[in-house]
Amino acid sequence: MNGWDRVGSSGSRLSESSNVHQRTPSRTATLGRLQPQAPGNRNIHCNDREANQPFRFKGNSIATTKYSIFTFLPKGLFEQFRRVANCYFLMISILSTTPMSPVNPVTNVVPLSLVLLVSLIKEAWEDRKRFQNDMAINNSLIDVLQDQRWVRIPWKKLQVGDIVRVMKDQFFPADILFLASTNADGVCYTETANLDGETNLKIRKALEKTWDYLTPETASEFKGEIQCEQPNNSLYTFTGNLIMQKQTLPLNPNQILLRGCSLRNTEYITGVVIFAGHETKVMMNSMNIPSKRSTLERKLDKLILTLFGTLSVMCLIGSIGSAIFIDKKLYYLGLQKMTGSVEDNQFNPDNRFLLNMFTLITLYSPIIPISLYVSIETIKFFQSTQFINKDLRMYHAESNTPALARTSNLNEELGQVEYIFSDKTGTLTRNLMEFFKCSIGGEMYGTGITEIERGVAMQTGVKIQEVEKSANATYEKGFNFDDPRLLQGAWRNEPNPDICKEFFRCLAICHTVLPEGDESPEKITYQAASPDEAALVTAAKNFGFFFYRRTPTMIYVRESHVDKIGKMQDVSYEILNVLEFNSTRKRQSVVCRYPDGRLVLYSKGADTIIYERLADGNEDLKKVTREHLEQFGSSGLRTLCLAYRDLSPDIYERWNEKFIQAKSSLRDREQKLDEVAELIEKDLILIGCTAIEDKLQEGVPGCIKTLSRAGIKIWVLTGDKMETAINIAYACNLINNGMKQFIISAETDAIRGVEERGDPVEIAHILKEEVKRDLKNCLEEAQQYMRSASGPKLALVIDGKCLMYALDPSLRLMLLNLSLNCSSVVCCRVSPLQKAQVTSLVKKGARKITLSIGDGANDVSMIQAAHIGVGISGQEGMQAVMASDFAIAQFRYLTDLLLVHGRWSYLRICKVVTYFFYKNLTFTLTQFWFTFHTGFSGQRFYDDWFQSLYNVIFTSMPVIVMGLFEKDVSATLSKKYPELYQEGIKNVFFTWRVVAAWAFFSVYQSLVLYNFVASSSFGGHTSSGRIFGIWDVSTMAFTCVVVTVNLRLLMMSNSITRYHYIAVGGSILVWFIFVFIYTGIMTPYDRQENVYFVIYILMSTFYFYFTLILVPVVALFGDFIYQGVQRWFSPYDYQIVQEIHRHEPDKTKTGLLEVGLGNQLTPEEARSFAMARLPRELSKHTGFAFDSPGYESFFASQLGIYAPQKAWDVARRASMRSRPKVSKKK
């Protein structure tokens, strides 16, 4: 191919073109064959790189790294200095280099540099992993047509317009127009798991005109032009035309193969690249999860500002005192009249104030701990990776899914949640649909009793009459139906067998399900876009209408008992048109032709949508079916209405012309298709309705009851009908008969009457007024109940239409006040946007900590709107998980996530922050008291390195150990007494009162530490008779400070493990080792002559040992008394629980979560959990935007765990440089 040869050398340059898509320059008009790109379309010349070169389409190389070689240092430092504390330490480091600084600048610069270095190394490490992912993906190989043969090149060299060949189980390297397949009828099957988490296969069909372009010889002859939309992030839409051989062929999403999907059940396919690299739909869907900071972290900023204010006051006192001291005490020196050098001017009282202010700022700088952020990040990281991710109580063995903390920033926020917003389907329920009941021609079938009915009966005290299962009853996944009137062909004896036949055929034909496996009822499996569809097709099979094969134009059904009982016949139905389901249409229709030529439109969808399109007449059937629908809804079942329409050939042909025109439209194609569908989806004849059960997840009622006891209010936001939502709420203990229920619904006679008149302005006005009146009445009634001490709990139920007006700015406050007074809120028929609006209303309006939990793509906006987003890795894909902060497999695991890990994390971080505040304030105040004895001159009390290493080494490890292993009560007691969680909601452990108490004892201890040591040293002397000097006293004082603050940590710990003893004893030991070495060595190039041999001299005196024992005891005595009085007269809730169970041994592994030896797993569960804990890439910054499978099979082999290799593992390793093999340990 000549174009390839001419452009080949510039391939890499083109692949790294500018991010901004440039239009064709005017000079290209002289080529005669190229036109400037229109703003709304993209013109692509297939199989001709030369023709595409002027358009400068983006190449296929992707880069998801945060930094480059040139931007790493400036951008990385910018990120670090966005933290106020780092800016503060930078200022201190700069001040320490000036002549006015009393400390060596090295002692400030080195710790800051270490902190920055650690943070930058962490950033570089994370970015390196992203870079490796990018390289593995960019260097994956793909077959590209070149000179009538397939040539393997890296993905990154691929360009728009290239013809590629993708083999079975390979990933598509870009967004590709599907040309030809080795399967019959130009069909291929794709798996979109990397796109949306769904493992069911999708069918794609190439245009019939391109089926022959399969071999390199025929493909090289393909010349055409693609006119399509510009790159966008809509995964499920595509608009374009293929112009070839002077014909314009419409393109739709069925011909598009998206990057990140993989080819299945097909030997290979050929296609043309239309979008590459960052312009592919999946890359344009790569979303940055909103940056979330915990509430406690924001309060920490206020505490640091308070410390800075304290520092300013201390410096102000010292500066004023210095000026007064020089002016009053040293007036006889005439310092005010001195002029000359800078050294002379610094003693002038007029200049002394400002100079001394800067001197004291550097002297008192340790009051704000430099290691605070690093310590907290370390603690949070280990809490997430070692405790949350490895807790077997939150491991779901059935799906091999452990809990996953996708961020460590919000650990303590889990301990303060007050409102939970939950989706229903797949979150509270299993999203495993089973065909349970149905109504056909006004007759209800199905004898089963749902879990919801049992729950409602339990609430009302009604006894349920159980019905014995019939002998013909069958059960399989998706089918849990029992009624002998319909099974085994018995439907032929019903009063309406013809309607039954239409019902079953509608189930077997109106769908997009793909059959897999042997064409036998026992072995076939159905790949469906949703569990509902699979359940309906499975039901048709069990009723005798077995769908076993499909092609792009035909559906094959094996029908039993149609002509007579026991007779089977294979019938082929030609599928002429499929009007697909979407969230706007809420229905799906199929136009099919029977073998005898009969044209039928089958339609299924939401009851409200289908009823609007029914033909006049049959009012009795409509009324009875509506009653059945309401009865199914009250039983918690999901309903769909089925209808059909016979079409004449003339009507169909006229409509089909409009349908083809709409499919060929480049602009607003979806809207035009919906409009055309309306023309034929009318005058329908009602067949009946289906009822599918979605069972509650295991443990949901108990979990909700426990969370309610913990003071957490749970709201359910669902798209289901009000009756279904209310009954689900009853079944899971969200609502009970003891509650006063406020129901605000648009399904009233007054609103129905207005809607029948059809005036949208009047409907909006009446609805808003009705909602306003209902809200006002409910709020007044709720306030009366709240005034009553014995009033019932309140519950609010509101539907989507009313919620739309209730969220209006004029009514929003009223809705918020009413909702906050209710223990439970159920919002039904709500859209994804309304879910996010309700979440934001409570988050911003009530300023409460919120948590959203869901499992579907429609829950993403709600998950991102809350303080904490939890995704459930369920049946609806992985988009919710990818947008979440934490991921769990079951709703019931919220109990452990919040009441155990959340509570402990909150308690630990609160103690870490307050302890940091205490130990640094205590240390700095000893320097402050010394200033009063030095005429406020800024003379340092401690050696520079003592001061610098105080936070970094001598007191750093114990606080990290406390942050990891502190535990007030065991996990079992945390769940047994969920009321303990309310301490986090009320934030009792991190209030200004708590901070003030710590500040008081810091002042007390610093006075003891300084005055006791200083006073007792006045008459002291060494063994040689020399009196103690300043460095002897300061070293003694520093030793007492280190011992005291480390012992204080043991006093504040509720559970002391061996790690506490090691950390505290080790820190004190490290201090002594350091001071022995540091004071024992002196070189000509340092300032250590002041402290040379100090510790050796001190330890040769009785004074050292007496002071080392006495001073810490006296300093900590006040804390000891305070803790005893507080525990005795004003105990915290957890202290009461401790007293109740003080004689019960803690059976958990010391300091660790209740995981490990106490949890016995089967060998299969143990293997699954071991696989789940294998190293993996958790970052979302990958070539597939949402997720990137890790080297699971590789790591498994290293650890001796069997795990089958995955295609992506092989592709990735093959694209990397060869590395020496690691021999397995035997």
Side-chain angles (χ1 to χ4, degrees):
M1 187 166 55
N2 295 333
W4 183 284
D5 295 336
R6 282 191 288 271
V7 186
S9 61
S10 61
S12 60
R13 175 172 52 85
L14 286 174
S15 69
E16 297 173 0
S17 59
S18 168
N19 288 348
V20 181
H21 184 76
Q22 300 182 14
R23 308 293 176 220
T24 309
S26 58
R27 59 184 172 83
T28 59
T30 59
L31 297 174
R33 55 186 296 201
L34 298 177
Q35 297 296 326
Q37 296 278 322
N41 346 325
R42 158 179 286 212
N43 293 334
I44 302 167
H45 296 275
C46 304
N47 203 18
D48 193 345
R49 281 196 172 188
E50 180 184 14
N52 290 322
Q53 186 177 7
F55 297 127
R56 298 182 63 80
F57 293 126
K58 186 169 289 188
N60 201 42
S61 177
I62 58 127
T64 59
T65 54
K66 192 175 179 181
Y67 308 101
S68 69
I69 294 176
F70 302 105
T71 63
F72 175 71
L73 203 56
K75 193 174 179 181
L77 288 175
F78 173 76
E79 290 290 330
Q80 294 304 315
F81 286 112
R82 287 174 67 182
R83 289 178 169 173
V84 177
N86 285 342
C87 289
Y88 165 79
F89 293 118
L90 177 64
M91 179 192 73
I92 296 299
S93 297
I94 293 171
L95 285 176
S96 66
T97 61
T98 62
M100 65 189 75
S101 170
V103 298
N104 191 326
V106 176
T107 57
N108 281 315
V109 173
V110 169
L112 175 61
S113 301
L114 284 174
V115 170
L116 293 177
L117 181 63
V118 169
S119 299
L120 288 175
I121 289 174
K122 177 193 167 194
E123 290 286 316
W125 176 257
E126 290 180 353
D127 218 40
R128 177 176 171 271
K129 290 190 287 184
R130 298 186 194 113
F131 177 75
Q132 288 176 333
N133 280 339
D134 291 345
M135 287 298 99
I137 291 165
N138 288 335
N139 290 320
S140 299
L141 300 179
I142 189 69
D143 291 336
V144 178
L145 186 64
Q146 179 179 353
D147 296 331
Q148 295 191 358
R149 62 190 179 90
W150 299 116
V151 178
R152 294 180 71 77
I153 67 169
W155 281 19
K156 64 184 177 184
K157 293 187 177 180
L158 209 57
Q159 294 187 26
V160 172
D162 288 348
I163 293 181
V164 299
R165 179 178 69 172
V166 180
M167 308 300 291
K168 181 181 177 182
D169 295 330
Q170 277 190 337
F171 289 88
F172 300 119
D175 289 352
I176 296 171
L177 171 64
F178 181 23
L179 292 180
S181 165
T182 53
N183 290 345
D185 300 323
V187 168
C188 77
Y189 300 93
T190 66
E191 183 182 285
T192 60
N194 274 314
L195 205 64
D196 54 18
E198 296 180 6
T199 55
N200 51 289
L201 301 183
K202 312 292 192 305
I203 189 170
R204 294 291 181 263
K205 182 185 177 185
L207 295 174
E208 191 171 349
K209 293 284 185 182
T210 65
W211 287 359
D212 296 330
Y213 300 115
L214 190 61
T215 64
E217 293 76 22
T218 55
S220 62
E221 297 172 2
F222 176 68
K223 299 292 181 183
E225 183 178 347
I226 300 171
Q227 295 177 344
C228 64
E229 62 194 12
Q230 291 290 355
N232 59 70
N233 64 354
S234 178
L235 291 171
Y236 307 109
T237 63
F238 179 80
T239 307
N241 288 327
L242 172 62
I243 302 172
M244 58 176 290
Q245 300 171 0
K246 297 183 180 179
Q247 283 184 301
T248 300
L249 307 173
L251 302 174
N252 61 49
N254 280 329
Q255 285 89 47
I256 305 303
L257 307 173
L258 299 181
R259 178 187 176 117
C261 302
S262 57
L263 186 65
R264 294 283 188 265
N265 296 357
T266 308
E267 187 179 344
Y268 68 86
I269 61 100
T270 59
V272 179
V273 176
I274 52 175
F275 301 131
H278 287 279
E279 288 184 340
T280 56
K281 289 180 179 288
V282 69
M283 291 302 294
M284 296 188 79
N285 263 280
S286 179
M287 53 186 175
N288 291 323
I289 296 176
S291 178
K292 297 180 180 180
R293 294 183 70 207
S294 68
T295 307
L296 195 142
E297 193 174 337
R298 287 192 290 271
K299 290 180 179 177
L300 176 58
D301 290 343
K302 295 180 181 178
L303 178 60
I304 287 179
L305 289 175
T306 303
L307 285 173
F308 189 77
T310 305
L311 172 64
S312 302
V313 170
M314 291 165 62
C315 294
L316 187 65
I317 293 172
S319 299
I320 294 173
S322 175
I324 294 174
F325 180 82
I326 291 175
D327 190 40
K328 300 294 185 182
K329 294 273 186 177
L330 305 177
Y331 64 91
Y332 54 86
L333 296 178
L335 297 175
Q336 285 180 324
K337 299 176 183 178
M338 291 182 65
T339 58
S341 65
V342 176
E343 288 77 6
D344 293 336
N345 281 333
Q346 67 174 315
F347 296 106
N348 190 328
D350 297 334
N351 302 328
R352 186 63 186 165
F353 179 84
L354 190 60
L355 292 172
N356 206 54
M357 176 70 81
F358 287 119
T359 299
L360 294 177
I361 285 176
T362 58
L363 191 62
Y364 300 151
S365 61
I367 194 172
I368 298 177
I370 194 169
S371 59
L372 173 60
Y373 284 108
V374 174
S375 298
I376 290 178
E377 283 187 4
T378 303
I379 290 166
K380 287 183 176 182
F381 175 77
F382 279 101
Q383 285 175 352
S384 299
T385 58
Q386 300 302 312
F387 296 161
I388 294 178
N389 291 1
K390 295 184 179 180
D391 188 353
L392 286 184
R393 289 177 311 233
M394 296 193 293
Y395 169 65
H396 192 234
E398 185 179 336
S399 62
N400 186 28
T401 308
L404 176 64
R406 291 175 50 81
T407 177
S408 60
N409 295 336
L410 304 173
N411 293 356
E412 70 275 15
E413 199 92 318
L414 290 171
Q416 297 180 276
V417 173
E418 190 168 356
Y419 286 88
I420 292 177
F421 300 92
S422 174
D423 177 42
K424 182 186 79 69
T425 305
T427 304
L428 298 177
T429 59
R430 298 180 186 178
N431 201 18
L432 294 174
M433 310 304 175
E434 293 179 339
F435 188 94
F436 201 73
K437 292 185 179 182
C438 62
S439 172
I440 306 174
E443 188 71 27
M444 186 189 296
Y445 298 94
T447 59
I449 299 171
T450 66
E451 291 181 351
I452 310 301
E453 287 176 303
R454 297 180 195 278
V456 172
M458 190 179 298
Q459 295 288 340
T460 56
V462 177
K463 188 174 181 180
I464 293 180
Q465 194 71 28
E466 297 284 349
V467 179
E468 289 187 11
K469 286 204 170 188
S470 63
N472 296 330
T474 59
Y475 176 81
E476 67 172 289
K477 183 180 178 182
F479 188 75
N480 188 18
F481 178 86
D482 181 22
D483 196 324
R485 292 177 294 169
L486 290 186
L487 298 171
Q488 302 287 324
W491 55 270
R492 287 178 51 82
N493 302 322
E494 287 299 292
N496 47 12
D498 290 334
I499 299 181
C500 289
K501 197 188 306 178
E502 294 293 349
F503 182 88
F504 300 143
R505 282 177 175 158
C506 184
L507 295 182
I509 295 172
C510 186
H511 58 75
T512 56
V513 175
L514 296 174
E516 274 191 336
D518 293 342
E519 294 179 356
S520 64
E522 297 79 17
K523 296 183 179 179
I524 200 164
T525 57
Y526 292 124
Q527 294 285 348
S530 69
D532 299 79
E533 271 211 318
L536 294 176
V537 177
T538 303
K541 179 183 75 172
N542 283 276
F543 289 132
F545 288 71
F546 171 39
F547 158 63
Y548 64 90
R549 188 191 307 161
R550 110 174 281 148
T551 69
T553 57
M554 301 293 288
I555 274 185
Y556 297 87
V557 179
R558 187 168 298 149
E559 299 182 352
S560 306
H561 320 298
V562 174
D563 295 329
K564 65 177 183 179
I565 297 291
K567 182 180 178 182
M568 289 191 297
Q569 57 186 1
D570 289 351
V571 184
S572 59
Y573 297 93
E574 184 181 0
I575 304 301
L576 301 175
N577 308 90
V578 177
L579 306 177
E580 295 182 356
F581 175 90
N582 60 43
S583 58
T584 304
R585 285 169 38 78
K586 294 184 179 178
R587 64 190 181 279
Q588 179 186 46
S589 298
V590 167
V591 180
C592 69
R593 180 182 282 123
Y594 277 49
D596 61 5
R598 178 191 176 197
L599 287 173
V600 184
L601 168 78
Y602 285 115
S603 188
K604 66 182 181 186
D607 52 352
T608 53
I609 301 297
I610 298 296
Y611 264 71
E612 290 172 358
R613 289 159 177 78
L614 294 178
D616 295 334
N618 285 332
E619 298 303 322
D620 291 340
L621 175 60
K622 294 177 187 175
K623 181 179 178 182
V624 172
T625 305
R626 187 179 286 278
E627 290 174 358
H628 291 167
L629 283 164
E630 292 176 358
Q631 189 173 337
F632 293 152
S634 64
S635 300
L637 299 173
R638 298 160 63 91
T639 57
L640 281 176
C641 276
L642 274 58
Y644 77 101
R645 177 189 178 187
D646 282 305
L647 302 172
S648 67
D650 293 339
I651 291 176
Y652 171 72
E653 291 300 334
R654 287 198 299 271
W655 175 83
N656 194 41
E657 289 178 6
K658 297 176 182 177
F659 181 75
I660 292 172
Q661 289 176 2
K663 283 187 71 174
S664 303
S665 174
L666 270 178
R667 295 183 180 277
D668 303 322
R669 180 183 294 177
E670 295 298 323
Q671 181 182 344
K672 290 177 181 177
L673 283 172
D674 289 351
E675 292 170 357
V676 171
E678 291 286 352
L679 300 176
I680 200 170
E681 291 175 327
K682 62 182 182 181
D683 298 330
L684 302 176
I685 298 172
L686 182 63
I687 303 173
C689 64
T690 62
I692 291 177
E693 182 182 21
D694 186 10
K695 292 185 177 181
L696 284 175
Q697 284 188 11
E698 181 185 346
V700 166
C703 174
I704 289 179
K705 185 176 181 181
T706 302
L707 294 176
S708 298
R709 287 176 57 197
I712 300 173
K713 300 178 179 66
I714 300 173
W715 294 21
V716 174
L717 312 178
T718 178
D720 279 342
K721 290 184 296 190
M722 181 172 286
E723 295 82 5
T724 307
I726 290 175
N727 283 286
I728 287 286
Y730 264 108
C732 58
N733 288 334
L734 202 60
I735 297 177
N736 57 56
N737 289 332
M739 288 183 171
K740 169 62 182 174
Q741 297 178 27
F742 299 115
I743 297 179
I744 303 176
S745 171
E747 298 296 321
T748 62
D749 294 335
I751 295 175
R752 281 199 193 101
V754 175
E755 288 178 337
E756 287 174 2
R757 293 197 287 274
D759 184 354
V761 177
E762 183 186 7
I763 292 172
H765 176 71
I766 295 297
L767 258 174
K768 186 172 182 179
E769 291 301 317
E770 285 288 318
V771 170
K772 183 177 181 181
R773 182 175 57 81
D774 288 346
L775 281 174
K776 186 176 180 181
N777 293 339
C778 292
L779 183 58
E780 290 175 355
E781 192 174 351
Q783 289 173 342
Q784 290 178 0
Y785 282 118
M786 295 302 290
R787 293 190 196 103
S788 166
S790 59
K793 289 186 175 181
L794 309 177
L796 171 65
V797 182
I798 185 170
D799 68 10
K801 283 184 180 177
C802 296
L803 185 63
M804 181 172 63
Y805 294 98
L807 289 170
D808 185 88
S810 60
L811 302 179
R812 191 179 299 165
L813 185 60
M814 202 181 301
L815 172 66
L816 180 63
N817 289 334
L818 174 60
S819 302
L820 295 182
N821 286 323
C822 295
S823 300
S824 302
V825 176
V826 178
C827 301
C828 31
R829 295 287 195 189
V830 293
S831 66
L833 177 62
Q834 286 177 320
K835 290 182 178 183
Q837 289 173 333
V838 171
T839 305
S840 298
L841 177 68
V842 177
K843 177 183 176 182
K844 297 177 181 177
R847 298 185 179 276
K848 305 292 186 181
I849 307 299
T850 58
L851 179 149
S852 290
I853 180 169
D855 72 322
N858 60 333
D859 302 316
V860 168
S861 54
M862 172 179 75
I863 285 172
Q864 293 184 339
H867 289 94
I868 305 168
V870 177
I872 288 188
S873 47
Q875 305 291 321
E876 294 190 20
M878 298 293 287
Q879 290 193 37
V881 170
M882 292 305 159
S884 67
D885 305 301
F886 298 88
I888 55 178
Q890 298 276 291
F891 182 88
R892 69 179 187 271
Y893 295 153
L894 273 183
T895 306
D896 285 284
L897 187 65
L898 299 183
L899 304 190
V900 179
H901 295 285
R903 247 192 93 254
W904 284 351
S905 295
Y906 166 72
L907 176 69
R908 289 163 178 167
I909 296 299
C910 286
K911 287 199 169 187
V912 165
V913 171
T914 51
Y915 177 75
F916 259 105
F917 167 75
Y918 147 77
K919 72 184 182 68
N920 281 69
L921 185 60
T922 302
F923 174 71
T924 307
L925 284 174
T926 56
Q927 173 72 62
F928 180 65
W929 306 134
F930 176 70
T931 307
F932 284 85
H933 290 87
T934 60
F936 306 97
S937 62
Q939 166 66 36
R940 58 196 172 96
F941 184 42
Y942 300 114
D943 182 82
D944 295 350
W945 285 107
F946 293 2
Q947 180 171 307
S948 296
L949 299 180
Y950 175 75
N951 275 308
V952 179
I953 294 180
F954 305 138
T955 60
S956 60
M957 282 309 298
V959 70
I960 291 176
V961 168
M962 181 180 67
L964 292 177
F965 301 112
E966 171 64 5
K967 185 171 60 173
D968 53 354
V969 295
S970 68
T972 305
L973 293 179
S974 293
K975 291 186 286 187
K976 184 177 180 180
Y977 300 97
E979 293 80 7
L980 292 174
Y981 188 82
Q982 296 182 22
E983 292 177 326
I985 294 176
K986 298 172 185 175
N987 193 27
V988 298
F989 298 130
F990 194 58
T991 61
W992 290 114
R993 180 181 176 183
V994 172
V995 172
W998 279 101
F1000 171 79
F1001 285 106
S1002 288
V1003 174
Y1004 162 73
Q1005 289 185 16
S1006 64
L1007 285 169
V1008 170
L1009 289 165
Y1010 175 73
N1011 287 303
F1012 269 53
V1013 174
S1015 300
S1016 61
S1017 65
F1018 287 158
H1021 54 83
T1022 66
S1023 56
S1024 61
R1026 186 177 64 86
I1027 63 172
F1028 288 128
I1030 178 177
W1031 303 112
D1032 301 292
V1033 176
S1034 67
T1035 302
M1036 185 71 247
F1038 189 85
T1039 303
C1040 291
V1041 169
V1042 169
V1043 172
T1044 301
V1045 298
N1046 277 296
L1047 292 178
R1048 180 65 180 89
L1049 182 134
L1050 292 178
M1051 289 178 61
M1052 68 186 293
S1053 298
N1054 287 292
S1055 57
I1056 300 178
T1057 67
R1058 64 176 179 272
Y1059 302 107
H1060 287 74
Y1061 293 123
I1062 293 171
V1064 170
S1067 296
I1068 296 173
L1069 181 63
V1070 165
W1071 153 246
F1072 279 107
I1073 293 173
F1074 169 80
V1075 76
F1076 268 104
I1077 297 173
Y1078 179 70
T1079 61
I1081 301 173
M1082 185 174 69
T1083 66
Y1085 305 104
D1086 58 30
R1087 296 171 51 188
Q1088 290 167 213
E1089 66 275 5
N1090 293 326
V1091 294
Y1092 180 64
F1093 231 62
V1094 162
I1095 193 65
Y1096 298 94
I1097 296 171
L1098 280 172
M1099 293 186 72
S1100 65
T1101 64
F1102 173 77
Y1103 158 79
F1104 173 82
Y1105 302 99
F1106 179 76
T1107 306
L1108 187 59
I1109 295 173
L1110 176 66
V1111 172
V1113 169
V1114 175
L1116 294 174
F1117 185 72
D1119 298 72
F1120 180 78
I1121 296 296
Y1122 172 78
Q1123 283 188 300
V1125 171
Q1126 177 271 320
R1127 189 180 182 93
W1128 188 265
F1129 294 103
S1130 181
Y1132 289 113
D1133 293 342
Y1134 76 84
Q1135 292 174 332
I1136 296 173
V1137 173
Q1138 286 176 343
E1139 290 298 321
I1140 294 173
H1141 297 274
R1142 68 182 184 275
H1143 298 304
E1144 297 178 10
D1146 187 358
K1147 297 179 182 179
T1148 63
K1149 191 176 178 181
T1150 306
L1152 295 174
L1153 292 181
E1154 295 171 79
V1155 300
L1157 300 176
N1159 296 268
Q1160 299 300 323
L1161 296 182
T1162 65
E1164 180 62 26
E1165 289 175 338
R1167 189 187 72 81
S1168 296
F1169 183 65
M1171 286 177 59
R1173 291 176 59 179
L1174 294 173
R1176 62 187 63 199
E1177 173 59 66
L1178 300 182
S1179 172
K1180 69 181 178 62
H1181 303 283
T1182 70
F1184 292 153
F1186 295 114
D1187 195 12
S1188 175
Y1191 300 86
E1192 188 177 80
S1193 57
F1194 172 74
F1195 285 115
S1197 66
Q1198 298 299 301
L1199 297 178
I1201 303 166
Y1202 170 73
Q1205 285 201 344
K1206 296 185 178 179
W1208 184 242
D1209 282 345
V1210 179
R1212 177 181 279 176
R1213 290 202 299 278
S1215 65
M1216 306 269 304
R1217 293 181 179 177
S1218 61
R1219 296 177 181 174
K1221 292 184 179 180
V1222 181
S1223 59
K1224 291 184 181 180
K1225 294 181 180 180
K1226 295 185 179 180

